[in-house]
Amino acid sequence: MKNQKIFILSGLIPALLLVLAFTYYPFLRGIIMAFQDYKLFDLRHVRFVGFDNFKAAFHDPKFLVALKNSGYWVFFSLIFQFVLGLSLALLLKKPFRGRGIFQGFAFYSWALSGFLIGMIWKWMFNSQIGVINDLLLRVGIIHERIGFLSNPKWAMTSVIIANVWYGIAFFAIMLLAALQSVPSELYEAADMDGATGIRKLWNVTLPYILPTIIATTLLRAIWIFNDPTIIYGLTNGGPAGSTHILSSLMLDKIIYAGDYGAASAIGVIMIVLLLLYTIFFLTVTKAEKVGDF
Amino acid sequence: MIHLDRGKINMTRRKKYSALLLCGALSAGLLAGCGSNNDSSAGDNGAGDEQVTLRMIESLTSPKRTELLQASIDKFETANPNIKVELISPPFDQADNKIRTMLGAKEDLDVVEVRDLTVAEFVNNGFIEPLNDYADKWSDYSTVSAISKSLGSVGDKLYFVPNGLYERQLFYRADWFKEKGLNPPATWDELYETAKKLTDPSKNRYGFSFRGGAGSNGTTDAMVLAYNGDNVNLEDSMFTKDGKTIFSTPEAKASMELYLKLYKDASPPDSVNWGFQEQVQAFTSGVTGMLLQDPDVIQSLQEKMAEGTWATAPLQAGPTGKALLAAGGAGWGMAANSEHKEEAWKLISFLSSPAENTEFSKAYGLIPIHTSAAEDEFFKTGPYKTLLDMSNAPDKFVNFKPPFEYPGTGQWGQVEMESGQALLLGQASLDDTLKKWDEYWTDQKSKLGK
């Protein structure tokens, strides 16, 4: 028995070391850096500064804007990605000719890198040479070019639109898989009871796939919150810092200021926020998950 | 049956041991990977016939550039059969971070591409070696232009030999100018007036390819410097001769008022958030009539635009008739912990020789670092001619040293961009913006203890 234990333990060592070296060590190091004056320009004078980085963050108007933007960014991206993704999944549920090809086209956005999506939409949104303005002008919906990325009133909406486009496919893929697992007996029973389409969706389909919905929205919200790539590629936080979210601001501190201390402080704040969110989300959804079914 | 079972047990036991062995090997490998590899190749730094491998990393990576570099390296290897060169080419966006990380971790590196933007940081952290002792013994050093030497130096020490210079000039639509009977503008005021005449929003045509996004400080700095003119301390260019920042003067305010007008009256409204790509794309696709850029765009203009539709002119001057001009660029430096410094210098001096450097500059669209290259026909004609004209009139086009030794020089672009965008969008007043910039550089100076 003892040998067995040693065997199991030694078998676990490589995996354990990998996780320690590449997940927990950087994680801890990041937390330590948040309390340090750690600037790339001067690595010879790294020292502990207590909560200075956190204080500086909360006194920075850019941080407060980014905090608010993160809220909008996650909320609106998630709602639209989910609703449109679910609609797409429902449309794709019934077999039709060419469904496979159609699925491929509908899902391909998920295979692109966020940065690339930022670049693509940057050109489409361009007000002088972009295709969106051109189309809207030709169709006659607008009469003046709109600065989607240069007008602070539009910029946040524009980056969210790009993000929604990106994320629909994820929900469609996950929810389609869940939809296909709903037993047809349930629908037959619902038919016998005389349920209509909407009613079947509300009382049979959605409750059945609720666990998937909870898991995917929880995950997706965290991803959206953490992912700066689309914003980085699309607006780089501009104009005048109006489209920064916390993760893009963190990146900004690293790339342009080389200030790993300030960036790590933002990172730690993000972890705390995500932790609170997860606890809240899981507590709220737990009761329902068991209850309805 | 019993036999079989025993066999089974034996099998499992053997499997168990081999699994254990495998795990052990993996763990050991992992630990070794984490450790440093400083101790390797310690004893072979004597030159002679011994085989030496140099590790070299580039920063301004692009496929074409890597190809050119590799071709030069191949020539070097043929000439020096005992030296092998391993070129590392990280993608441009991550290159400087990769270089920092490698230097910080004391990984084996011998020749490093150092940029104007990173040199102060590398020197400050003790990552790179001063090259003066080597350069003094180098026969080609006498023809290296003063501006190249200044670019590669921090204080009185040379830290990299530039591999080509970037200098700003004006690109304009020759056909549009002809149509309207306009001449290329010589001053910023003329640039504004000309741009206004070219602007017709109903045709989606604008005079100036404005850049309010990443890199916008290229324009604001140039304007503020030109307006301050003779008053600028050329060695410490964010400050005037009496030690105030260049943003604190009435001239700075006048230049920024013109900057605002240039954006509002003669530039695409969208350009408040444009960076390099949009700015160049707008010019090549016929939306804008004038573009301020470095010579490395020449090749893409030649590819995308018909000959005769565009031409070049020198950088614009301020009201006193002077334009302040800086050269930017990158070059070859030596890692401080290189084990093969003599060989590394051999490679640096080979790449920086008049023959290699001039060829590289021609092929990639840069200004060569040797004064002797100006004799080359290539630089006497076409879009490069204006650059030569500018260096031939040093009284009008005055060279200054950009503030690369300040820790905040990398962040300045970002600070200027964000406050500049707020100014352009009417979210901040001109006085507040200039005050912010003034405070930024005053603070930088106090941090540097100058």
Side-chain angles (χ1 to χ4, degrees), chain B residues 207-219:
Chain B
F208 188 60
S209 240
F210 194 87
R211 179 173 180 178
S216 57
N217 62 315
T219 315

PDB file of all heavy atoms in Angstrom, chain B residues 207-219:
ATOM      1  N   GLY B 207      -6.900  67.535 -46.761  1.00  0.00           N
ATOM      2  CA  GLY B 207      -5.552  67.996 -47.059  1.00  0.00           C
ATOM      3  C   GLY B 207      -4.462  67.214 -46.361  1.00  0.00           C
ATOM      4  O   GLY B 207      -3.412  66.927 -46.927  1.00  0.00           O
ATOM      5  N   PHE B 208      -4.712  66.832 -45.112  1.00  0.00           N
ATOM      6  CA  PHE B 208      -3.616  66.329 -44.294  1.00  0.00           C
ATOM      7  C   PHE B 208      -3.939  64.964 -43.715  1.00  0.00           C
ATOM      8  O   PHE B 208      -5.008  64.742 -43.166  1.00  0.00           O
ATOM      9  CB  PHE B 208      -3.351  67.335 -43.171  1.00  0.00           C
ATOM     10  CG  PHE B 208      -2.121  67.024 -42.357  1.00  0.00           C
ATOM     11  CD1 PHE B 208      -0.865  66.959 -42.953  1.00  0.00           C
ATOM     12  CD2 PHE B 208      -2.213  66.801 -40.992  1.00  0.00           C
ATOM     13  CE1 PHE B 208       0.267  66.676 -42.202  1.00  0.00           C
ATOM     14  CE2 PHE B 208      -1.084  66.522 -40.234  1.00  0.00           C
ATOM     15  CZ  PHE B 208       0.160  66.464 -40.844  1.00  0.00           C
ATOM     16  N   SER B 209      -2.987  64.037 -43.839  1.00  0.00           N
ATOM     17  CA  SER B 209      -3.132  62.716 -43.224  1.00  0.00           C
ATOM     18  C   SER B 209      -2.760  62.822 -41.754  1.00  0.00           C
ATOM     19  O   SER B 209      -1.631  62.550 -41.363  1.00  0.00           O
ATOM     20  CB  SER B 209      -2.222  61.701 -43.927  1.00  0.00           C
ATOM     21  OG  SER B 209      -2.978  60.659 -44.469  1.00  0.00           O
ATOM     22  N   PHE B 210      -3.723  63.220 -40.983  1.00  0.00           N
ATOM     23  CA  PHE B 210      -3.496  63.489 -39.570  1.00  0.00           C
ATOM     24  C   PHE B 210      -3.335  62.171 -38.820  1.00  0.00           C
ATOM     25  O   PHE B 210      -3.853  61.138 -39.239  1.00  0.00           O
ATOM     26  CB  PHE B 210      -4.711  64.251 -39.045  1.00  0.00           C
ATOM     27  CG  PHE B 210      -4.518  64.900 -37.711  1.00  0.00           C
ATOM     28  CD1 PHE B 210      -3.982  66.165 -37.619  1.00  0.00           C
ATOM     29  CD2 PHE B 210      -4.892  64.243 -36.547  1.00  0.00           C
ATOM     30  CE1 PHE B 210      -3.823  66.774 -36.392  1.00  0.00           C
ATOM     31  CE2 PHE B 210      -4.730  64.844 -35.316  1.00  0.00           C
ATOM     32  CZ  PHE B 210      -4.193  66.108 -35.245  1.00  0.00           C
ATOM     33  N   ARG B 211      -2.593  62.241 -37.718  1.00  0.00           N
ATOM     34  CA  ARG B 211      -2.396  61.034 -36.917  1.00  0.00           C
ATOM     35  C   ARG B 211      -2.613  61.390 -35.459  1.00  0.00           C
ATOM     36  O   ARG B 211      -1.735  61.941 -34.818  1.00  0.00           O
ATOM     37  CB  ARG B 211      -0.980  60.523 -37.142  1.00  0.00           C
ATOM     38  CG  ARG B 211      -0.622  59.287 -36.353  1.00  0.00           C
ATOM     39  CD  ARG B 211       0.738  58.816 -36.828  1.00  0.00           C
ATOM     40  NE  ARG B 211       1.205  57.633 -36.163  1.00  0.00           N
ATOM     41  CZ  ARG B 211       2.352  57.033 -36.468  1.00  0.00           C
ATOM     42  NH1 ARG B 211       3.107  57.511 -37.423  1.00  0.00           N
ATOM     43  NH2 ARG B 211       2.744  55.958 -35.823  1.00  0.00           N
ATOM     44  N   GLY B 212      -3.806  61.088 -34.945  1.00  0.00           N
ATOM     45  CA  GLY B 212      -4.108  61.414 -33.555  1.00  0.00           C
ATOM     46  C   GLY B 212      -3.935  60.223 -32.627  1.00  0.00           C
ATOM     47  O   GLY B 212      -3.957  60.358 -31.417  1.00  0.00           O
ATOM     48  N   GLY B 213      -3.784  59.020 -33.225  1.00  0.00           N
ATOM     49  CA  GLY B 213      -3.636  57.808 -32.414  1.00  0.00           C
ATOM     50  C   GLY B 213      -2.177  57.564 -32.068  1.00  0.00           C
ATOM     51  O   GLY B 213      -1.391  58.515 -31.934  1.00  0.00           O
ATOM     52  N   ALA B 214      -1.807  56.281 -31.946  1.00  0.00           N
ATOM     53  CA  ALA B 214      -0.447  55.938 -31.550  1.00  0.00           C
ATOM     54  C   ALA B 214       0.576  56.649 -32.432  1.00  0.00           C
ATOM     55  O   ALA B 214       0.475  56.612 -33.653  1.00  0.00           O
ATOM     56  CB  ALA B 214      -0.250  54.425 -31.647  1.00  0.00           C
ATOM     57  N   GLY B 215       1.529  57.317 -31.822  1.00  0.00           N
ATOM     58  CA  GLY B 215       2.558  58.020 -32.581  1.00  0.00           C
ATOM     59  C   GLY B 215       2.230  59.463 -32.883  1.00  0.00           C
ATOM     60  O   GLY B 215       2.964  60.141 -33.605  1.00  0.00           O
ATOM     61  N   SER B 216       1.109  59.973 -32.315  1.00  0.00           N
ATOM     62  CA  SER B 216       0.701  61.348 -32.605  1.00  0.00           C
ATOM     63  C   SER B 216       1.737  62.363 -32.128  1.00  0.00           C
ATOM     64  O   SER B 216       1.807  63.469 -32.653  1.00  0.00           O
ATOM     65  CB  SER B 216      -0.638  61.641 -31.938  1.00  0.00           C
ATOM     66  OG  SER B 216      -0.536  61.420 -30.547  1.00  0.00           O
ATOM     67  N   ASN B 217       2.537  61.986 -31.135  1.00  0.00           N
ATOM     68  CA  ASN B 217       3.518  62.951 -30.631  1.00  0.00           C
ATOM     69  C   ASN B 217       4.577  63.296 -31.678  1.00  0.00           C
ATOM     70  O   ASN B 217       5.242  64.308 -31.551  1.00  0.00           O
ATOM     71  CB  ASN B 217       4.170  62.448 -29.329  1.00  0.00           C
ATOM     72  CG  ASN B 217       4.921  61.157 -29.531  1.00  0.00           C
ATOM     73  OD1 ASN B 217       4.415  60.242 -30.177  1.00  0.00           O
ATOM     74  ND2 ASN B 217       6.128  61.078 -29.017  1.00  0.00           N
ATOM     75  N   GLY B 218       4.700  62.471 -32.730  1.00  0.00           N
ATOM     76  CA  GLY B 218       5.603  62.825 -33.823  1.00  0.00           C
ATOM     77  C   GLY B 218       5.249  64.185 -34.391  1.00  0.00           C
ATOM     78  O   GLY B 218       6.130  65.010 -34.656  1.00  0.00           O
ATOM     79  N   THR B 219       3.957  64.451 -34.570  1.00  0.00           N
ATOM     80  CA  THR B 219       3.526  65.723 -35.138  1.00  0.00           C
ATOM     81  C   THR B 219       3.586  66.851 -34.110  1.00  0.00           C
ATOM     82  O   THR B 219       4.144  67.915 -34.382  1.00  0.00           O
ATOM     83  CB  THR B 219       2.088  65.611 -35.685  1.00  0.00           C
ATOM     84  OG1 THR B 219       1.970  64.409 -36.415  1.00  0.00           O
ATOM     85  CG2 THR B 219       1.753  66.789 -36.565  1.00  0.00           C
TER      86      THR B 219
END
